[in-house]
Each structure stands twice: as structure tokens, then as C-alpha cells.
Amino acid sequence: MIDLVTLIRRKLLALERKLANDPDQFVLLHHLTFLFAIRNDAPRGAGQFMRWCCHLMVPIFVLSSYCYKAYWYMSHSEYNSALFNVVCTIWIMAGAFVRRLVFDRGVLVRLEQFLNDRSFREDEPLVRAARQHVKVQNNRYLFAVCLSLVLDASIFSGTNIMLEPEFMLLYQGHAVGGFLIQLLYGWATCLWGSLYVLIFAFIYVLLNVFRGEMSLLVESFERIDECFHKYRPELNTASAGEREEEFWRELQALIKLNVQRHVELLENLGYFGSILKPFSFIQYYGSFTLIGYYCFILMYKGVTPLTVVYIAFIVFLVAESFLFCRILSQINDLHARIGTVMCELEWYDKLRFSPRFASAYRQMRASFLIIIIRSQKPLSFRINGTGTISMARFAELLNSSYSLMTVMFQLKERIIAKLTSDGNN
């Protein structure tokens, strides 16, 4: 057993090194997006095209089967927990498809091309090490999410597929096919239902790279102070003409490099907003609805093999909401940090007017002011105009979910008390 664990560990470390050495930092993301038909590159050949079409038909078939089961339950039985489980599965599958539609492939390709361009400060070892750390971090995160979803699907398959009829492939209320068919059907349900969580993982990986690049930009703005300290003692001397020219040339080059990178990051974050805004709306209100629903099932059925899977999914929803709000808050804080760094430079005292370099002096003062003003304007990460994404928004989600749970438990206690009093009478 120890040898098996050691072998698995070695294989995983070898895979991690292989992914880390790949020049494309999104190679694992590419495989996952292809698996879930997001990166729908045109297959070559009739055989590959037919297999691709069959692959796309699987989630449509699974969702259609659950819609049929919901219709059959409503037509032939009273409202019960089985119907609620089917409706909840439809909600998750539909939410996964909506998230899939929101995750635009054209924007994804553009962002990958931009973030894979490492020309900004690529010759510095510390910058390369920081980017390598982000790459390893993203690969580990994607692997951990996939492993958790496989574990959750295994628990679901082993405890619920053959015990809960509503999760079986049914026709007119009766199971179709044997154990193998039902097992494949259950795994197909788990696979495409997991897209609800994986879409967030894809977005988080891209945001994590943006956070790393924004952090490097803040550090690059801090290097302006090094330029001041490097030339300031010599600029105060009488024979400072040549050094003064070098100072203005180096300062202008540094400001131009940083401003250009700042503009590129803001521009691509703006493109990313076409995904983030609708996704934020789905993330916030979808999580609130599912948490409320799962708490209702827990209140109704207690702890069972089925509700254990629901509890795990609640943990996923809360964790991804927390990570989503936190990383967007961190990107916004780093953006605001640029203005703080510029003010802490005290450039208004360190920049000296010189008739020879009057044009450069006025240009630098204007550039500093523009950078400070722009960085103090928060990045617009909004839930389609209904609120800003931040840690305060996450706290609001927790408070709303807790209030809903409290109301449901109070309602349950009142119903039990009323039934008990009626039984005694």
C-alpha cells in the first residue's frame, strides 16, 4: 500500500513538472474545456465529426431525460422528495449550460493569448519565478477541483444511483437497462452537472493570472523610486547635465512601460467583463437558490447518503463564492495600490524643473497625475448593475442564506408543534 501511494505521488509530481515546463500555462485548461465542448475546435474527418456530435448529444440527452422524469412525476404522483430531487438536478444542469453559454470561446482565446505573452519584464528572474508560481498554483487548483468532483461523483454513484429511482434512467416510472446502463447514466449526470462548478474554476484560473500580473505591475511602479534615488544625489551638483539627460530618459522609459502594461491589463479585464458580469449574476443568485433548496432537503430528510452529497455541493458553492469575491477584491485593491504607490513616491518634490528638460518635466507631471486619477477609479466588477462584487457581497450572501435557513427551521418547528397538538387533541 505504501509503495502504491509512493508511485502515485511520483506520477503526480512528474505530471506537475511537465505542466509547469510547458510554455502554455493554460494547457490543463485547454484539455478540460475541450472535454466539456467549450473549446469546440472543428474536428477533422467524418468519423471525428460524428464522435464530436455524439459527445455533444450526451448532455442534451441527460437533461431531456430529467425533464421527462419531472413531467412524469407531476402527472402520475403527488409532490414528493423525488420530484424535488429531479427539479434540483434540472436546475443544476440548466445552470451549467447557461454558464457554458456565458463562457464565450472568442473571449477565452483572446485572454489566453494576452496572458501567455510574457514580454513584460521577462528578462528578470524574480518575475519569471513569480509567474511560474502562479502557473503551478493554477494547475494544482484545477487538479484538486477535478479530484474533488470525481470523489463526489463516486460517492453519489455508490450510494444513490441504485437506491434513489429518481436518479435512474426511467421510462414511465420504470428503470431502463441493467446496472451498467444505470452506472453510465449516473456518471454522465455527474460529469455534465460538474460543469456548474468547473466553469467557475476556469474563470478563477484566468483571474488568478490577472492578479499575478497586476501584482507585478504594482512592483514595477515601485521601482520608480529606485530611479529617483539612483540619480538624485548627482542631480543636485552643478555638473549634472549628462546624468540629468540619462535620468529623464530612464524615467520616461519606465513610465511608458508601466503605463502601457496598465492599459493592456485594464483593456483585457474589460473584455473579460463580458463574461464576468452575467456569470456574477448567475453565481450569486444561483448559489443562494441552491443553498436554500439543499437546506430545505436537509430539513425534510435529515442526514442520508443523498444529503451527504448535497452537503458537499453546498461546501463547493460557498467556497467558490468566497474565492470569486476575494480574488476580484484583491485585483481591485492592487489596482488602487498603484495610485497609493505613486503618491508615496513624493514625486512632486523629487522632480526638479530644468529649462533644458522643461517638456519632459511637464510630461512626467501630467503622466503621474493621470495614473493616480485612473487608479483611484475602482474596476467595475458588478452583478449586472445590481451590486458590486466584493467580500461585502459574500458576507451578504452568507447572511441571506443563514436568514433563509432560520426561517425554514422555525417553520418546521411550528408545523411539528401544530401536528403534535392536533394529535394530542
Side-chain angles (χ1 to χ4, degrees), residues 80-122:
N80 51 30
S81 60
L83 175 60
F84 282 116
N85 289 333
V86 171
V87 171
C88 180
T89 305
I90 293 174
W91 178 275
I92 294 174
M93 295 286 290
F97 289 160
V98 171
R99 287 184 173 204
R100 159 66 182 85
L101 294 174
V102 166
F103 202 64
D104 183 76
R105 178 178 181 270
V107 176
L108 172 64
V109 171
R110 174 172 184 151
L111 293 177
E112 288 178 351
Q113 291 175 348
F114 167 70
L115 295 174
N116 272 325
D117 180 11
R118 304 185 174 188
S119 56
F120 179 70
R121 299 174 61 187
E122 64 178 344

Side-chain angles (χ1 to χ4, degrees), residues 60-84:
I60 298 175
F61 169 76
V62 173
L63 181 59
S64 301
S65 67
Y66 273 91
C67 292
Y68 169 75
K69 282 188 281 188
Y71 167 76
W72 195 89
Y73 276 120
M74 288 188 289
S75 303
H76 297 83
S77 63
E78 298 179 353
Y79 293 96
N80 51 30
S81 60
L83 175 60
F84 282 116

